[in-house]
Amino acid sequence: MTKDNKIELMAPAGNFTSLQAALDNGADSVYFGVEQLNMRARASINFTLDDLPEISRRCKEKGVRTYLTLNTIIYDHDLSIIKTLINKAVESEITAVIAMDQAVIAYARQVGMEVHISTQINVTNIETLKFYAMFADTIVLSRELSLRQVKKITEQIARENICGPSGNLVEIEIFGHGALCMAVSGKCYLSLHSHNSSANRGACKQNCRKKYTVIDQESGFEIELDNEYMMSPKDLCTLEFLDQIEDAGIKVLKIEGRGRAPEYVARVIKTYREAIDSLYDGTFSKEKVKDWMSALETVYNRGFWSGYYLGQKLGEWSDHPGSNATQKKVYIGKGQHFYTKANIAEFKVEAYGLNQGDKILIQGPSTGSQEMILENFMVDDKQAEKAVKGDVVTFPVGFRIRLSDKLYKVVENKV
């Protein structure tokens, strides 16, 4: 449930580094997959069953809710695994499970676990919502609805007092930022047909992100396309119209990206956190939106559009493969030591060089994703302005580093 009546900001977590980045940058909740039964089974590393207690512990310390995604198609041979996962989630005090299969929904309710209905179910109207309200406190609506349609649903929830199992009004969740699929709410069969690898089992091969030529089979005529990547939509971005999202009665804003890097999670969550807070303290403005959009452009994106929320045409498509990010990270080296009393980090430079004034990233499972400007550093106990491969550098930080941490330099990316 949302706190302080603000829109809940939900962050993706594909591993512990991204999880920590979400916690450090103001997420209200996080969602994650365990093992193979989730829609990002191959796109991210994913957690193991034994990681659930640690996920729960870290999030509880920050007052952040935890959502386990079990939203794939389920077969008979999966049922025992589902029960094991949900039992462990209950034992670890995970907040809720995100589900689309009736077997998952039924078992979660049987053991008293809160259920959130996945967008894969395609809830598009109030009668369908009423049905699933018997099992779930939060429902993710179909991605293809406009804000006008969403608002009509939230108004009917309030007017008809539609409550979930908790006895509270059903809360509506929507996707707010990140990758979009050309298929209806992510239900795609291209990957299954071409590679026998089902997107609906979390094993998408991303056929739609490739370049295709369309040919008339009868005449052999090659049809000219305005955009060669005509199945690859731009990324969703709702930051510019957050006020309309709040007005539509949406309670949870979900950021897509369990397969993306920790710096993506850190930057996007930090930006939306600032924007949501600004919305409620009355300082939301076009000038701030411009700065926030520039910040979002620095990390992985395929360009941005508003999805279907504003009632626009079918889609806006990418004009090239890969990312439009204005910045990228370059690996420099790994952690060697941390001097606790002085808060000094020590790294071995293994690739490329460092210069005073460089923007750097330090990332690790416990550290998260920490960005800073390298203002003062030492090489061989001497003040230095540059470091090269083989050097050991030390510099002050405001956080603890570990031997598992990696050091990167952030540079401009020419798209």
PDB file of all heavy atoms in Angstrom, residues 16 19 23 30 32 34 47-48 51-60 66 94:
ATOM      1  N   PHE A  16      21.905  -7.807  -6.765  1.00  0.00           N
ATOM      2  CA  PHE A  16      22.070  -7.051  -5.525  1.00  0.00           C
ATOM      3  C   PHE A  16      22.609  -5.640  -5.763  1.00  0.00           C
ATOM      4  O   PHE A  16      22.287  -4.713  -5.020  1.00  0.00           O
ATOM      5  CB  PHE A  16      22.982  -7.798  -4.552  1.00  0.00           C
ATOM      6  CG  PHE A  16      22.250  -8.804  -3.700  1.00  0.00           C
ATOM      7  CD1 PHE A  16      22.515 -10.155  -3.819  1.00  0.00           C
ATOM      8  CD2 PHE A  16      21.282  -8.394  -2.794  1.00  0.00           C
ATOM      9  CE1 PHE A  16      21.836 -11.093  -3.045  1.00  0.00           C
ATOM     10  CE2 PHE A  16      20.591  -9.317  -2.013  1.00  0.00           C
ATOM     11  CZ  PHE A  16      20.872 -10.666  -2.132  1.00  0.00           C
ATOM     12  N   LEU A  19      19.636  -3.684  -6.767  1.00  0.00           N
ATOM     13  CA  LEU A  19      18.767  -3.563  -5.587  1.00  0.00           C
ATOM     14  C   LEU A  19      19.259  -2.448  -4.674  1.00  0.00           C
ATOM     15  O   LEU A  19      18.487  -1.586  -4.241  1.00  0.00           O
ATOM     16  CB  LEU A  19      18.734  -4.889  -4.825  1.00  0.00           C
ATOM     17  CG  LEU A  19      18.008  -4.858  -3.471  1.00  0.00           C
ATOM     18  CD1 LEU A  19      16.511  -4.650  -3.651  1.00  0.00           C
ATOM     19  CD2 LEU A  19      18.272  -6.141  -2.683  1.00  0.00           C
ATOM     20  N   LEU A  23      17.504   1.180  -3.531  1.00  0.00           N
ATOM     21  CA  LEU A  23      17.308   1.588  -2.136  1.00  0.00           C
ATOM     22  C   LEU A  23      17.981   2.929  -1.846  1.00  0.00           C
ATOM     23  O   LEU A  23      17.427   3.770  -1.126  1.00  0.00           O
ATOM     24  CB  LEU A  23      17.874   0.510  -1.198  1.00  0.00           C
ATOM     25  CG  LEU A  23      17.228  -0.873  -1.266  1.00  0.00           C
ATOM     26  CD1 LEU A  23      17.918  -1.837  -0.314  1.00  0.00           C
ATOM     27  CD2 LEU A  23      15.746  -0.791  -0.952  1.00  0.00           C
ATOM     28  N   VAL A  30      10.504  -2.510  -4.497  1.00  0.00           N
ATOM     29  CA  VAL A  30      11.332  -3.136  -5.524  1.00  0.00           C
ATOM     30  C   VAL A  30      10.669  -4.434  -5.962  1.00  0.00           C
ATOM     31  O   VAL A  30       9.974  -5.091  -5.188  1.00  0.00           O
ATOM     32  CB  VAL A  30      12.766  -3.435  -5.038  1.00  0.00           C
ATOM     33  CG1 VAL A  30      13.519  -2.158  -4.719  1.00  0.00           C
ATOM     34  CG2 VAL A  30      12.753  -4.357  -3.829  1.00  0.00           C
ATOM     35  N   PHE A  32      11.496  -8.144  -8.240  1.00  0.00           N
ATOM     36  CA  PHE A  32      12.645  -8.964  -8.627  1.00  0.00           C
ATOM     37  C   PHE A  32      12.174 -10.381  -8.933  1.00  0.00           C
ATOM     38  O   PHE A  32      11.099 -10.818  -8.501  1.00  0.00           O
ATOM     39  CB  PHE A  32      13.664  -9.008  -7.484  1.00  0.00           C
ATOM     40  CG  PHE A  32      13.054  -9.360  -6.162  1.00  0.00           C
ATOM     41  CD1 PHE A  32      12.947 -10.681  -5.756  1.00  0.00           C
ATOM     42  CD2 PHE A  32      12.539  -8.373  -5.339  1.00  0.00           C
ATOM     43  CE1 PHE A  32      12.347 -11.005  -4.559  1.00  0.00           C
ATOM     44  CE2 PHE A  32      11.930  -8.692  -4.139  1.00  0.00           C
ATOM     45  CZ  PHE A  32      11.837 -10.014  -3.742  1.00  0.00           C
ATOM     46  N   VAL A  34      13.197 -14.652  -9.101  1.00  0.00           N
ATOM     47  CA  VAL A  34      14.022 -15.692  -8.500  1.00  0.00           C
ATOM     48  C   VAL A  34      14.095 -16.873  -9.462  1.00  0.00           C
ATOM     49  O   VAL A  34      13.060 -17.343  -9.941  1.00  0.00           O
ATOM     50  CB  VAL A  34      13.448 -16.150  -7.141  1.00  0.00           C
ATOM     51  CG1 VAL A  34      14.176 -17.396  -6.630  1.00  0.00           C
ATOM     52  CG2 VAL A  34      13.559 -15.032  -6.107  1.00  0.00           C
ATOM     53  N   PHE A  47      17.923 -13.528  -8.797  1.00  0.00           N
ATOM     54  CA  PHE A  47      18.307 -13.964  -7.468  1.00  0.00           C
ATOM     55  C   PHE A  47      18.032 -15.454  -7.298  1.00  0.00           C
ATOM     56  O   PHE A  47      17.322 -16.064  -8.092  1.00  0.00           O
ATOM     57  CB  PHE A  47      17.526 -13.162  -6.426  1.00  0.00           C
ATOM     58  CG  PHE A  47      17.841 -11.696  -6.424  1.00  0.00           C
ATOM     59  CD1 PHE A  47      17.025 -10.796  -7.096  1.00  0.00           C
ATOM     60  CD2 PHE A  47      18.960 -11.212  -5.766  1.00  0.00           C
ATOM     61  CE1 PHE A  47      17.316  -9.440  -7.103  1.00  0.00           C
ATOM     62  CE2 PHE A  47      19.262  -9.857  -5.773  1.00  0.00           C
ATOM     63  CZ  PHE A  47      18.438  -8.965  -6.443  1.00  0.00           C
ATOM     64  N   THR A  48      18.580 -16.025  -6.244  1.00  0.00           N
ATOM     65  CA  THR A  48      18.297 -17.412  -5.895  1.00  0.00           C
ATOM     66  C   THR A  48      17.338 -17.443  -4.717  1.00  0.00           C
ATOM     67  O   THR A  48      17.097 -16.418  -4.059  1.00  0.00           O
ATOM     68  CB  THR A  48      19.582 -18.163  -5.517  1.00  0.00           C
ATOM     69  OG1 THR A  48      20.091 -17.632  -4.282  1.00  0.00           O
ATOM     70  CG2 THR A  48      20.632 -18.026  -6.605  1.00  0.00           C
ATOM     71  N   ASP A  51      18.573 -16.039  -1.540  1.00  0.00           N
ATOM     72  CA  ASP A  51      18.774 -14.586  -1.448  1.00  0.00           C
ATOM     73  C   ASP A  51      17.582 -13.861  -0.819  1.00  0.00           C
ATOM     74  O   ASP A  51      17.703 -12.695  -0.429  1.00  0.00           O
ATOM     75  CB  ASP A  51      18.999 -13.989  -2.846  1.00  0.00           C
ATOM     76  CG  ASP A  51      20.332 -14.383  -3.445  1.00  0.00           C
ATOM     77  OD1 ASP A  51      21.288 -14.590  -2.668  1.00  0.00           O
ATOM     78  OD2 ASP A  51      20.423 -14.494  -4.677  1.00  0.00           O
ATOM     79  N   LEU A  52      16.422 -14.512  -0.746  1.00  0.00           N
ATOM     80  CA  LEU A  52      15.209 -13.825  -0.287  1.00  0.00           C
ATOM     81  C   LEU A  52      15.342 -13.204   1.107  1.00  0.00           C
ATOM     82  O   LEU A  52      14.906 -12.066   1.309  1.00  0.00           O
ATOM     83  CB  LEU A  52      14.011 -14.782  -0.348  1.00  0.00           C
ATOM     84  CG  LEU A  52      13.495 -15.110  -1.755  1.00  0.00           C
ATOM     85  CD1 LEU A  52      12.357 -16.119  -1.683  1.00  0.00           C
ATOM     86  CD2 LEU A  52      13.031 -13.849  -2.470  1.00  0.00           C
ATOM     87  N   PRO A  53      15.912 -13.904   2.094  1.00  0.00           N
ATOM     88  CA  PRO A  53      16.049 -13.266   3.415  1.00  0.00           C
ATOM     89  C   PRO A  53      16.887 -11.988   3.390  1.00  0.00           C
ATOM     90  O   PRO A  53      16.560 -11.011   4.057  1.00  0.00           O
ATOM     91  CB  PRO A  53      16.728 -14.354   4.262  1.00  0.00           C
ATOM     92  CG  PRO A  53      16.337 -15.638   3.603  1.00  0.00           C
ATOM     93  CD  PRO A  53      16.332 -15.326   2.138  1.00  0.00           C
ATOM     94  N   GLU A  54      17.974 -11.987   2.588  1.00  0.00           N
ATOM     95  CA  GLU A  54      18.828 -10.794   2.515  1.00  0.00           C
ATOM     96  C   GLU A  54      18.115  -9.648   1.795  1.00  0.00           C
ATOM     97  O   GLU A  54      18.240  -8.484   2.186  1.00  0.00           O
ATOM     98  CB  GLU A  54      20.142 -11.140   1.807  1.00  0.00           C
ATOM     99  CG  GLU A  54      21.066  -9.957   1.554  1.00  0.00           C
ATOM    100  CD  GLU A  54      21.583  -9.280   2.825  1.00  0.00           C
ATOM    101  OE1 GLU A  54      21.383  -9.839   3.930  1.00  0.00           O
ATOM    102  OE2 GLU A  54      22.172  -8.185   2.704  1.00  0.00           O
ATOM    103  N   ILE A  55      17.367  -9.979   0.728  1.00  0.00           N
ATOM    104  CA  ILE A  55      16.571  -8.955   0.046  1.00  0.00           C
ATOM    105  C   ILE A  55      15.592  -8.321   1.026  1.00  0.00           C
ATOM    106  O   ILE A  55      15.475  -7.096   1.117  1.00  0.00           O
ATOM    107  CB  ILE A  55      15.805  -9.561  -1.144  1.00  0.00           C
ATOM    108  CG1 ILE A  55      16.775 -10.040  -2.224  1.00  0.00           C
ATOM    109  CG2 ILE A  55      14.821  -8.553  -1.730  1.00  0.00           C
ATOM    110  CD1 ILE A  55      16.121 -10.870  -3.305  1.00  0.00           C
ATOM    111  N   SER A  56      14.896  -9.165   1.758  1.00  0.00           N
ATOM    112  CA  SER A  56      13.911  -8.685   2.729  1.00  0.00           C
ATOM    113  C   SER A  56      14.563  -7.827   3.806  1.00  0.00           C
ATOM    114  O   SER A  56      14.054  -6.768   4.170  1.00  0.00           O
ATOM    115  CB  SER A  56      13.200  -9.884   3.363  1.00  0.00           C
ATOM    116  OG  SER A  56      12.237  -9.460   4.306  1.00  0.00           O
ATOM    117  N   ARG A  57      15.712  -8.272   4.303  1.00  0.00           N
ATOM    118  CA  ARG A  57      16.408  -7.531   5.363  1.00  0.00           C
ATOM    119  C   ARG A  57      16.813  -6.134   4.900  1.00  0.00           C
ATOM    120  O   ARG A  57      16.553  -5.142   5.594  1.00  0.00           O
ATOM    121  CB  ARG A  57      17.653  -8.310   5.815  1.00  0.00           C
ATOM    122  CG  ARG A  57      18.396  -7.644   6.975  1.00  0.00           C
ATOM    123  CD  ARG A  57      19.771  -8.245   7.172  1.00  0.00           C
ATOM    124  NE  ARG A  57      20.678  -7.933   6.079  1.00  0.00           N
ATOM    125  CZ  ARG A  57      21.295  -6.767   5.926  1.00  0.00           C
ATOM    126  NH1 ARG A  57      21.080  -5.767   6.782  1.00  0.00           N
ATOM    127  NH2 ARG A  57      22.121  -6.569   4.913  1.00  0.00           N
ATOM    128  N   ARG A  58      17.442  -6.055   3.738  1.00  0.00           N
ATOM    129  CA  ARG A  58      17.890  -4.751   3.237  1.00  0.00           C
ATOM    130  C   ARG A  58      16.709  -3.800   3.035  1.00  0.00           C
ATOM    131  O   ARG A  58      16.786  -2.613   3.363  1.00  0.00           O
ATOM    132  CB  ARG A  58      18.637  -4.914   1.909  1.00  0.00           C
ATOM    133  CG  ARG A  58      19.991  -5.563   2.032  1.00  0.00           C
ATOM    134  CD  ARG A  58      20.809  -5.257   0.777  1.00  0.00           C
ATOM    135  NE  ARG A  58      21.932  -6.170   0.598  1.00  0.00           N
ATOM    136  CZ  ARG A  58      22.838  -6.060  -0.348  1.00  0.00           C
ATOM    137  NH1 ARG A  58      22.751  -5.069  -1.232  1.00  0.00           N
ATOM    138  NH2 ARG A  58      23.830  -6.916  -0.457  1.00  0.00           N
ATOM    139  N   CYS A  59      15.635  -4.329   2.484  1.00  0.00           N
ATOM    140  CA  CYS A  59      14.489  -3.483   2.174  1.00  0.00           C
ATOM    141  C   CYS A  59      13.752  -3.050   3.435  1.00  0.00           C
ATOM    142  O   CYS A  59      13.279  -1.914   3.541  1.00  0.00           O
ATOM    143  CB  CYS A  59      13.542  -4.204   1.217  1.00  0.00           C
ATOM    144  SG  CYS A  59      14.244  -4.425  -0.439  1.00  0.00           S
ATOM    145  N   LYS A  60      13.654  -3.938   4.404  1.00  0.00           N
ATOM    146  CA  LYS A  60      12.988  -3.580   5.662  1.00  0.00           C
ATOM    147  C   LYS A  60      13.711  -2.453   6.372  1.00  0.00           C
ATOM    148  O   LYS A  60      13.088  -1.585   6.990  1.00  0.00           O
ATOM    149  CB  LYS A  60      12.901  -4.802   6.577  1.00  0.00           C
ATOM    150  CG  LYS A  60      11.761  -5.742   6.246  1.00  0.00           C
ATOM    151  CD  LYS A  60      11.684  -6.857   7.278  1.00  0.00           C
ATOM    152  CE  LYS A  60      10.484  -7.745   7.031  1.00  0.00           C
ATOM    153  NZ  LYS A  60      10.389  -8.812   8.053  1.00  0.00           N
ATOM    154  N   THR A  66       8.640  -5.254  -0.917  1.00  0.00           N
ATOM    155  CA  THR A  66       9.314  -6.224  -1.773  1.00  0.00           C
ATOM    156  C   THR A  66       8.283  -7.064  -2.520  1.00  0.00           C
ATOM    157  O   THR A  66       7.369  -7.623  -1.933  1.00  0.00           O
ATOM    158  CB  THR A  66      10.205  -7.153  -0.935  1.00  0.00           C
ATOM    159  OG1 THR A  66       9.464  -7.628   0.210  1.00  0.00           O
ATOM    160  CG2 THR A  66      11.434  -6.418  -0.447  1.00  0.00           C
ATOM    161  N   ILE A  94       8.525 -11.462   2.447  1.00  0.00           N
ATOM    162  CA  ILE A  94       8.389 -10.690   1.216  1.00  0.00           C
ATOM    163  C   ILE A  94       6.967 -10.145   1.173  1.00  0.00           C
ATOM    164  O   ILE A  94       6.012 -10.833   1.531  1.00  0.00           O
ATOM    165  CB  ILE A  94       8.679 -11.562  -0.018  1.00  0.00           C
ATOM    166  CG1 ILE A  94      10.122 -12.097   0.027  1.00  0.00           C
ATOM    167  CG2 ILE A  94       8.422 -10.800  -1.313  1.00  0.00           C
ATOM    168  CD1 ILE A  94      11.203 -11.029   0.059  1.00  0.00           C
TER     169      ILE A  94
END
